Amino acid sequence: MQNHPASMGGGNKNFQIAKTCRRIKNNQNTKVKIMLKNNDIKLRPLELEDSDILRKWRFFEDNYDYFYEYTPNSSYSNKSWVQNCLNKTNEINFIITENDSNIDIGMISLLDIDLRNKKCEMGRVLIANDSSRGKGLGTQAIKLILEYAFNHLNLNKVYCEVFADNLRALNSYKKIGFVQDGLFKNHIYKNGEYKDIAHLSIEKENFRQGINK
């Protein structure tokens, strides 16, 4: 879960994104929550009350290696981080919930939303519960958020970054239709070594073709 600088652009773009985020938050306040869902999972908007479970997820030993950060957060600083995410007008964050158990199992986000150039980053992708892994739920969450990005926000491209040695994630993204655009050598210092980062992207037309196969 990295901190991402705000996209450059005009006030009108930020106003449109703010309206999208505000619409979600207004629905939360009236208890009518927008949810993206299929038969197995749903994506609900992130809330400040999710701060504690996010902090727990972020520092599970099995999860921590996949994040860029290296400093554990206090409960206070993590809540401030969540509030900052909610205040931003160029990102939308979702909690992944299993339908059958109604248990929250992870997170996924659209970051640096750029309506002028019709692109954004997909990030903070996490299935946190061991019991929920290996079921394809992460792949389903990615497909749901891509449908939202392409069909609701009318974006043309979604890109992401992943540690190059995270072969499981790389293979999952490529099966969905992401292509690797490049490799950032020795890009992130983590656990005493510099690590390579793979940059991947998918465009709306390629996603549609994959859905229709």
Side-chain angles (χ1 to χ4, degrees):
M1 295 182 186
Q2 316 142 49
N3 291 324
H4 297 263
S7 298
M8 301 298 290
N12 185 55
K13 179 193 72 175
N14 286 336
F15 176 70
Q16 292 178 50
I17 299 172
K19 285 201 301 183
T20 301
C21 296
R22 201 175 297 125
R23 195 176 301 122
I24 290 176
K25 291 169 186 174
N26 286 341
N27 282 332
Q28 286 179 291
N29 292 336
T30 58
K31 304 301 182 184
V32 183
K33 298 183 180 180
I34 293 176
M35 291 184 184
L36 310 176
K37 63 189 301 183
N38 60 23
N39 290 333
D40 298 314
I41 61 169
K42 53 181 169 271
L43 308 184
R44 64 167 179 82
L46 174 70
E47 302 180 32
L48 186 59
E49 291 77 11
D50 296 313
S51 176
D52 288 341
I53 187 64
L54 283 180
R55 180 170 180 261
K56 182 179 179 181
W57 287 346
R58 290 172 73 185
F59 299 110
F60 279 165
E61 185 175 354
D62 289 345
N63 298 335
Y64 182 65
D65 283 346
Y66 298 110
F67 295 122
Y68 287 3
E69 294 100 330
Y70 60 90
T71 304
N73 287 349
S74 67
S75 178
Y76 175 81
S77 63
N78 194 70
K79 185 168 288 188
S80 297
W81 177 83
V82 172
Q83 185 64 68
N84 185 51
C85 291
L86 295 174
N87 290 340
K88 288 184 177 180
T89 60
N90 66 338
E91 67 178 55
I92 305 174
N93 299 275
F94 293 98
I95 295 294
I96 306 167
T97 305
E98 275 196 274
N99 290 337
D100 289 343
S101 64
N102 205 36
I103 293 175
D104 297 330
I105 61 169
M107 182 181 187
I108 192 167
S109 304
L110 297 178
L111 310 165
D112 290 342
I113 300 171
D114 180 348
L115 295 181
R116 181 175 184 273
N117 296 299
K118 296 188 178 299
K119 62 185 175 69
C120 75
E121 179 176 0
M122 182 186 72
R124 300 170 187 156
V125 182
L126 174 67
I127 298 296
N129 292 1
D130 285 339
S131 61
S132 300
R133 291 175 180 160
K135 300 179 180 179
L137 301 182
T139 297
Q140 291 186 44
I142 292 170
K143 288 181 177 179
L144 281 176
I145 207 168
L146 289 176
E147 288 177 1
Y148 179 76
F150 293 137
N151 299 329
H152 180 76
L153 297 181
N154 194 30
L155 300 180
N156 183 60
K157 176 186 281 188
V158 175
Y159 56 92
C160 65
E161 294 181 355
V162 62
F163 283 116
D165 60 359
N166 187 353
L167 299 182
R168 182 174 180 179
L170 278 173
N171 291 334
S172 294
Y173 293 154
K174 289 177 180 178
K175 285 180 181 178
I176 293 168
F178 281 86
V179 295
Q180 185 169 329
D181 302 312
L183 183 71
F184 300 114
K185 298 288 291 183
N186 299 323
H187 198 63
I188 295 294
Y189 188 74
K190 182 80 176 182
N191 293 335
E193 62 178 339
Y194 287 98
K195 298 177 73 71
D196 298 343
I197 299 295
H199 186 283
L200 302 98
S201 68
I202 184 170
E203 296 186 18
K204 179 189 290 188
E205 188 59 32
N206 293 335
F207 179 68
R208 285 176 173 170
Q209 290 175 0
I211 290 294
N212 293 328
K213 284 181 180 179

